[in-house]
Every structure is written in C-alpha cells, then in structure tokens.
Amino acid sequence: MSNVIQSVRGFSDVLPEQTGVWRHVEGVLRGVLDRYGYSEIRLPVLEKTELFARSIGEVTDIVEKEMYSFDDRNGDSLSLRPEGTAGCVRACIEHGLLHNQQPRLWYQGAMFRHERPQKGRLRQFHQIGAEVFGLTGADIDAEIILMTRRMLHELGLQDVRLELNTLGTAEARANYREALVAYLSARRDQLDDDSQRRLEGNPLRILDSKNPETQRLLDGAPRLDDYIDANSREHFDDLRRLLDAADVEYTVNPRLVRGLDYYGRTVFEWITDRLGAQGTVCAGGRYDALVEQIGGKATPAIGFALGLERLVALVEEAADAPPALAPDVYMVVMGEAQRSAALVLAERLRAALPGVGVFMHCGGGSFKSQFRRADRSGAQLALVLGETELASDTIGLKPLRSGSEQVNIAQGDLVKTLKEHFGG
Ligand code: ATP
Ligand code: MG
C-alpha cells in the first residue's frame, strides 16, 4: 500500500458521520443571519496576492508566511484566500454595492493558511463571516455582537466568553506602538524569538503572546488604553452601554489586538476554554479604513468570522449533539423480479411524502444481509417487497428501532400509514 495517495497535510475530509453536525451548525448560523436581514454573498477562493498584502498587511503572520501564493500561467501572483473580509470588500467596490447603500452581508467557505496543523488549527479551514458597510455608530457594533451571541446560544454553547477592546485610530495606535517598542526594545533579551521578530514588524501583536514571561513583562509596559483618542473612547463607551442594556456579559481585555492590520476601534473575540490553546471561536471588529485602502470611497465597516471546525468540535462534545443524518425508510427488495416494482414504489413514496427519506437497497443479497444494512442505516422502518408481497399488492413493514413484529399492509395504504408514522 506504499503508493496510496494521501490528503495534503492540514487539509482534512469531513466524513459522512460528521456532516450531520456540520449541516446543523451551518443551518443554525444561516438561520440567524437570515433573521437579522443579512444577505449572502458568494466569493471566489482565489484573489490577487496584492489584495491580501494591502489589506491584511505586509508584515502580518498571515501575509508573511501563511499564504498559499503562486504565479499562475500568466505570471500573475495569486493567493488562496486566508480570510474572507478582503475579498468581500473587493467585491463590494467592484460591483458598486457601497453607493448610497449600507449592505449587511455574509459569506461562507474554505480559507487557507499554511500554519502548523494541530487540534483546532488546519491549513484548509472554514468560516462563516459577516460584514456591514456604511455605518459609523456603535449600534451596529452592538448588533454584530448580539447576533454572534445568539448564534452561540442557538448552538447550545454555554462556556464561551466575550472579550472586547478598542484599538482607537491609526494615529493612536502609531503613538502607542512607538511607546511599546521603546519599552520592549530596552528589554529585548527577555523576549522570545517570536516576539523579537514582531518587535520590528508588528509589535502590537506581542500583546497577545501566549508566553507567560512575555505577559509578565507587559505588565509594566505602556498601556494601549492610555493612547486611545477621545472619539474612539466615546464610541467604545457607547458600545458598552448598549451591550449592558442588552445584558451581554463581557470583559474588556486591553491586550486584545487581533492579527490583521485593518482593524481599528472595536475588536472582539468569543473564546472557550474547552478547545485548549485554539479557543477563539469567533473574532471580529471594525475596519473603517480598509475600503479606501483597497481603492474604494472611504466607508466605515465592521465584521466578524466564526471558525466552523471549532464550533463543530464544541457541538460534537455537547451531550445533545445532533445525530448523523439517516434515512427514514429502508426498502428491502427480495428477488431480481421485484427490483423494478420496488424502484417505482420508492419513487411514488418520494413524490407523495417529500419529508420522508427513502433509501433503496440495490444489489440484491439475502434477507438477513439486507436487514443488517437496514439496521445500520439508522432508518426507522424497513419496507419489504418480495415475491409474495408483489403478487398480493402488499408490502411488509418492519419497525427497526423497536422489537415490534413485521406487519403486511396493502400497498394502497402505504402512503397513509407512513404519513401517520412520520407525521405530516
Ligand atoms: P487564532 O488566534 O486562533 O489563530 P486568528 O486571529 O488567526 O485566530 P481570524 O483570522 O480572526 O483568526 O479567524 C477567525 C476565526 O477563524 C478564528 O477565531 C478561528 O475560529 C478560525 N480560524 C482561524 N485560523 C484557523 C485555522 N488555521 N484553523 C481552524 N480555524 C481557524
Ligand atoms: Mg491565527
């Protein structure tokens, strides 16, 4: 078996036994987005590399070392998208969606980052995200947070906490950056390699270092808090009042910075302790400068993305995880001659009972082996069509999840009986 081709490291399959939970999670999130009046936008997975360099930032981890970039056959540098915001902004500008409009959009799909694969961290992962354009007030920030709270709540996830911060204006961050770099440069030898590297390119990112020594060192560092401009402060206070009024619990984490350059003012994360170090299930914030940076007319914006793998992992471990999808009815067919009648009957059932899943046994086999498969399929009922049944216009009906005996009924009564059994 040495020449079996395996999947690419960090690119995982979602197997049939897992897709039930995936569809449940996606369905709940889509339902919430619909109810808040957000419109779906579908975006390509491939964009020009420059789009990400210009938006996420040249010296971020993502752009520096995590993108799947390559020259296509025309020699253009393209990248698999590492996140969804940049492409969404690009599309909005390109299609004029921001002219006199304040779109509230959502998207879903695969993202790609060449990171070290581990629990909760893949190279192809999936997000559902939303972006809102054209609104400056804290009311939309609050709505975004309320919507993500509802999503987590409707997924039955309790142990997820909200952290908030404000990053202020670009100017405030630049001033703070200078002070932070001065402080940390004087203590450079106490920083790990990662933080030393970030000191030049992306010093703010040191604030969310997982290294306890670095965190201790930061206790004495200048605080971003003290550099926030008055307008951003007012915006943040307004947001906090709105969240308080809606009974949203949160902690302000003055070291929450996010790893993408485009964020300013509000940033937030929903975090769980149940997934080890990869505990952020949702992250977002304001990016009022990005639209202009990508070439559009200055337009305020805010958005977030949820990591689906992490949500699925949380839902899977919850006690009442949704079961794998199963058919309702398994059609057992005895004898070659009955195949055609069984196929026709199954079609009739599907037409009459669109809510009932009918799985057709194909390929023959003994009664015993067909029933074993019926049992394993998870179906509630087996229908049995053999020579006797066909000859007498009847069908066998055997409950699979109780010890009840098989009964034979007239084929003409089948739709009615199944309706009673499955409701509707
Ligand atoms: P993290 O701090 O976990 O690296 P991030 O700041 O890189 O997250 P974002 O770019 O904001 O994350 O993406 C939003 C969400 O997407 C994350 O909170 C997480 O749930 C998910 N996510 C990000 N990177 C990965 C990955 N490599 N594998 C799986 N999920 C991911
Ligand atoms: Mg990351």
Side-chain angles (χ1 to χ4, degrees):
M1 295 282 278
S2 62
N3 61 352
V4 171
I5 297 174
Q6 297 199 315
S7 65
V8 178
R9 186 165 133 84
F11 287 64
S12 69
D13 304 301
V14 178
L15 300 178
E17 75 219 36
Q18 304 168 300
T19 46
V21 179
W22 275 84
R23 286 168 58 150
H24 170 70
V25 169
E26 290 161 353
V28 167
L29 300 185
R30 279 200 294 256
V32 172
L33 287 155
D34 287 346
R35 279 147 62 206
Y36 278 75
Y38 285 56
S39 312
E40 184 181 5
I41 183 166
R42 300 195 179 193
L43 304 159
V45 294
L46 203 61
E47 300 274 0
K48 293 182 180 155
T49 300
E50 190 195 352
L51 174 67
F52 301 116
R54 238 206 270 173
S55 54
I56 297 167
E58 295 275 8
V59 287
T60 54
D61 287 354
I62 294 178
V63 171
E64 261 186 349
K65 48 181 198 187
E66 294 175 359
M67 284 212 295
Y68 281 88
S69 302
F70 60 95
D71 291 340
D72 81 352
R73 289 169 195 278
N74 306 326
D76 300 323
S77 178
L78 305 179
S79 296
L80 288 173
R81 62 182 180 193
E83 54 98 60
T85 302
C88 187
V89 171
R90 194 262 317 133
C92 284
I93 298 170
E94 189 167 330
H95 302 288
L97 302 188
L98 306 178
H99 291 308
N100 304 318
Q101 298 172 76
Q102 284 124 19
R104 300 184 196 188
L105 305 172
W106 70 270
Y107 59 84
Q108 157 172 28
M111 308 293 159
F112 306 85
R113 296 183 197 175
H114 197 277
E115 304 188 76
R116 194 169 69 78
Q118 52 195 291
K119 184 167 178 269
R121 202 175 283 296
L122 290 152
R123 290 181 172 174
Q124 175 179 324
F125 60 100
H126 298 80
Q127 292 183 336
I128 286 186
E131 318 288 350
V132 177
F133 298 93
L135 297 169
T136 48
D139 45 358
I140 190 65
D141 303 29
E143 170 172 281
I144 289 273
I145 288 170
L146 288 168
M147 183 164 71
T148 51
R149 178 178 71 161
R150 183 167 302 284
M151 289 168 161
L152 298 170
H153 178 82
E154 293 194 5
L155 286 172
L157 304 179
Q158 261 108 38
D159 303 334
V160 189
R161 62 176 191 279
L162 175 64
E163 293 192 356
L164 274 189
N165 195 19
T166 178
L167 301 179
T169 58
E171 196 190 345
R173 285 193 300 286
N175 291 336
Y176 173 63
R177 186 187 150 119
E178 225 171 274
L180 182 68
V181 169
Y183 173 86
L184 291 176
S185 298
R187 294 159 185 82
R188 200 189 167 89
D189 51 331
Q190 296 173 57
L191 291 172
D192 57 33
D193 292 350
D194 229 20
S195 293
Q196 287 195 11
R197 199 172 38 78
R198 286 178 168 153
L199 199 49
E200 268 81 61
N202 201 351
L204 260 56
R205 201 74 218 272
I206 298 174
L207 294 184
D208 74 1
S209 162
K210 303 262 185 318
N211 186 328
E213 264 172 58
T214 307
Q215 283 299 334
R216 259 195 307 279
L217 193 61
L218 287 167
D219 288 339
R223 291 165 55 97
L224 174 56
D225 240 14
D226 297 326
Y227 288 77
I228 298 302
D229 54 290
N231 285 342
S232 298
R233 169 72 44 212
E234 173 50 35
H235 182 95
F236 195 53
D237 290 344
D238 195 15
L239 171 61
R240 294 183 59 176
R241 278 191 295 272
L242 293 169
L243 294 178
D244 291 340
D247 278 331
V248 178
E249 284 178 33
Y250 58 84
T251 50
V252 175
N253 174 1
R255 292 185 191 168
L256 182 67
V257 286
R258 315 283 307 109
L260 301 83
D261 276 0
Y262 51 64
Y263 287 115
R265 289 202 169 168
T266 310
V267 288
F268 69 94
E269 288 191 4
W270 288 96
I271 303 167
T272 177
D273 294 323
R274 288 175 168 266
L275 296 175
Q278 272 61 57
T280 301
V281 295
C282 173
R286 262 200 181 269
Y287 53 93
D288 293 338
L290 181 60
V291 175
E292 193 174 22
Q293 215 171 298
I294 300 185
K297 206 173 119 226
T299 307
I302 180 168
F304 68 87
L306 293 131
L308 292 185
E309 278 77 6
R310 295 180 195 180
L311 288 180
V312 165
L314 286 176
V315 170
E316 261 170 350
E317 77 166 28
D320 52 353
L325 300 176
D328 300 303
V329 169
Y330 191 105
M331 179 87 83
V332 170
V333 195
M334 291 312 301
E336 282 279 295
Q338 278 60 249
R339 286 182 316 166
S340 162
L343 283 167
V344 171
L345 181 61
E347 282 308 300
R348 247 176 48 216
L349 293 180
R350 292 176 183 126
L353 302 165
V356 176
V358 181
F359 188 95
M360 181 75 203
H361 182 86
C362 291
S366 71
F367 198 67
K368 202 170 145 203
S369 80
Q370 290 195 39
F371 259 93
R372 204 167 36 233
R373 284 172 195 247
D375 203 41
R376 257 193 265 134
S377 76
Q380 293 296 316
L381 275 181
L383 300 181
V384 186
L385 191 71
E387 205 177 337
T388 335
E389 286 81 12
L390 188 63
S392 58
D393 247 352
T394 61
I395 185 143
L397 216 131
K398 163 84 175 132
L400 293 168
R401 307 296 145 199
S402 67
S404 310
E405 288 303 306
Q406 177 172 327
V407 291
N408 275 47
I409 62 168
Q411 280 187 26
D413 292 338
L414 184 55
V415 167
K416 194 173 112 243
T417 307
L418 291 183
K419 237 187 213 162
E420 282 164 14
H421 193 281
F422 291 105

